[in-house]
Amino acid sequence: DKGGWSSFMAKEINEQPEAIANTIRGRIVDGHVEIPELTELGAERLQNIDRIIIIACGTASYAGMVGSYAIEQWARVPVEVQLSHEFRYRDPVLSDRTMVISVSQSGETMDTLMAVKYAIEQGVTTVSVCNTQSATIPRESDAAVYTHAGPEVAVASTKAFIAQITALYLIGLHLGRARGVLSAEAEAAAVEQLEALPEKMVEAVATHEQIAELAHWMADTRSVLFLGRHVGYPAALEGALKLKEIAYIHAEGFAAGELKHGPIALIDHGQPVFVLVPSPRTSPLMHSKVVSNIQEIRARGARVIAIVEKGDTAVLPFADEVVRIPLTDALFDPILQVVPLQWFALELSTAKGLDVDQPRNLAKSVTVE
Ligand code: BG6
């Protein structure tokens, strides 16, 4: 049941405030993040972890990339992200001090399941971030951290993606505390941000109208680029993937700093570029770098659509369109910034008369390798 929405994807984008709230629910106790499933792994095991590898495919891998920054920051463990189907074949260096965190909405993606099985054979600790109760991957893993975002029907993942990032942030905070490396101030600040997210997400979802109008005059667009820095980089990759998946438009996401090392050659007159601008209050250095990137592409004719924090006026002179999202800490930016990108893909897909929920050649859950 689409609940009155034109598509499941539209419904699921609208359910994102609730999805975040459901992922957090019961996991913040007295100002501390506490995930019982991780506690059950034993204090010593968590303290001994010296490396984390996140494995996932598609959108889930971008959630993993976003999460990797937060886990490193809070738990002080090196984190890398690998695509599930690449993981096994590189003969990864693993030990009993390695933790493999798989991220999968369905919990049935064969590539990810096979990677988890390989990790289990190698004796590493496996944690599953999953949205589907009792799916195969969480059942096989040492610990299952469910996202509780509710069933996701549209092939293109939206609320599950947001819930996956939220779950990974909770894991980062739990590990930081369990390992004794998370300061009380950092924990309090992060918990405050997390608890405020559902309400801010309501505002991010409300960018729909502005994006629908934007998409209307961009219906003939044949290529779109997305730029982001730090956690904004995986969010840019996700914005590009969404557009490919459901609007069949060629799109690429780049790390903003990489622009001058190649992609800037693509910028031609009228080329649309979405730029995810970091918060100027909480990351002034990154913010100024991204504003310079905007100036560089604008000077070469790019049509700039800037996703900025409310009150950020620095980009106004250089952007053709400014989309405003609520204030948050830089680490939390992508959770909100990705929402207008989801709407953009949905609106372009609709404008082209396509089936938003059932894109050609794709399946919700790919159970073959
Ligand atoms: C792909 C889907 O095949 O699988 C993507 O089309 C999804 O939308 C990816 O992100 C991973 O799926 P899951 O269930 O493992 O998160």
Side-chain angles (χ1 to χ4, degrees):
D1 177 22
K2 293 178 197 160
W5 294 98
S6 54
S7 61
F8 279 107
M9 186 179 174
K11 175 175 178 266
E12 287 157 6
I13 292 174
N14 274 284
E15 286 170 346
Q16 292 184 126
E18 210 183 309
I20 296 177
N22 287 342
T23 305
I24 296 174
R25 182 159 304 121
R27 288 170 169 161
I28 298 176
V29 182
D30 295 331
H32 304 301
V33 171
E34 183 72 48
I35 303 176
E37 296 84 350
L38 295 184
T39 308
E40 279 164 24
L41 292 174
E44 205 184 331
R45 174 130 69 147
L46 297 186
Q47 265 147 22
N48 284 338
I49 296 300
D50 65 2
R51 179 170 178 220
I52 295 176
I53 305 173
I54 298 178
I55 50 173
C57 302
T59 289
S61 76
Y62 298 143
M65 279 174 79
V66 175
S68 71
Y69 293 85
I71 297 173
E72 269 191 359
Q73 181 163 324
W74 292 324
R76 306 312 300 161
V77 188
V79 187
E80 64 192 279
V81 184
Q82 289 184 24
L83 293 166
S84 311
H85 38 85
E86 289 287 324
F87 174 68
R88 273 194 296 169
Y89 303 102
R90 60 184 293 155
D91 191 9
V93 181
L94 305 169
S95 80
D96 57 2
R97 302 183 64 181
T98 309
M99 176 184 273
V100 163
I101 305 178
S102 64
V103 184
S104 173
Q105 189 285 131
S106 62
E108 301 294 349
T109 298
M110 189 56 78
D111 285 324
T112 304
L113 175 60
M114 295 314 282
V116 169
K117 284 191 167 162
Y118 179 85
I120 292 168
E121 278 164 24
Q122 308 299 311
V124 313
T125 298
T126 50
V127 175
S128 154
V129 171
C130 182
N131 194 43
T132 310
Q133 210 73 29
S134 310
T136 310
I137 295 172
R139 277 196 281 112
E140 296 274 337
S141 303
D142 294 310
V145 179
Y146 286 103
T147 42
H148 302 302
E152 192 179 65
V153 177
V155 166
S157 182
T158 53
K159 65 173 180 175
F161 172 72
I162 295 296
Q164 285 160 352
I165 297 175
T166 307
L168 290 167
Y169 280 27
L170 291 169
I171 290 172
L173 291 165
H174 182 106
L175 290 179
R177 188 166 140 84
R179 297 165 60 81
V181 294
L182 181 66
S183 73
E185 301 80 67
E187 183 179 44
V191 165
E192 192 187 323
Q193 291 293 326
L194 276 172
E195 288 182 322
L197 266 181
E199 215 165 293
K200 291 178 185 178
M201 181 51 94
V202 173
E203 276 186 66
V205 168
T207 57
H208 187 191
E209 212 176 306
Q210 182 186 3
I211 298 295
E213 206 171 304
L214 179 73
H216 180 73
W217 60 255
M218 287 179 70
D220 295 333
T221 304
R222 302 192 51 182
S223 148
V224 182
L225 305 182
F226 296 82
L227 293 183
R229 199 176 271 265
H230 189 246
V231 280
Y233 169 41
L237 295 173
E238 170 61 4
L241 179 61
K242 279 282 151 294
L243 212 49
K244 291 180 237 191
E245 284 181 312
I246 62 166
Y248 317 153
I249 290 172
H250 175 255
E252 282 202 66
F254 298 109
E258 191 64 8
L259 198 62
K260 57 187 174 300
H261 301 294
I264 199 159
L266 288 170
I267 307 291
D268 203 353
H269 183 74
Q271 170 68 50
V273 185
F274 278 80
V275 185
L276 307 186
V277 184
S279 157
R281 295 167 307 111
T282 60
S283 47
L285 188 60
M286 274 201 293
H287 175 266
S288 67
K289 291 267 163 58
V290 172
V291 173
S292 311
N293 294 142
I294 291 178
Q295 287 170 272
E296 285 154 17
I297 55 173
R298 183 65 188 278
R300 288 161 180 82
R303 176 141 219 164
V304 177
I305 303 127
I307 318 280
V308 308
E309 180 180 275
K310 263 189 196 165
D312 178 359
T313 52
V315 296
L316 291 183
F318 319 111
D320 297 276
E321 182 89 16
V322 173
V323 182
R324 293 179 180 80
I325 54 146
L327 274 58
T328 183
D329 275 4
L331 209 49
F332 293 82
D333 277 343
I335 299 179
L336 302 172
Q337 287 174 331
V338 82
V339 181
L341 309 186
Q342 297 169 337
W343 281 133
F344 184 67
L346 180 144
E347 288 298 333
L348 274 199
S349 172
T350 308
K352 291 176 75 173
L354 302 172
D355 184 341
V356 172
D357 292 330
Q358 294 285 344
R360 68 184 178 200
N361 309 340
L362 295 176
K364 181 66 182 158
S365 173
V366 181
T367 52
V368 291
E369 267 188 280

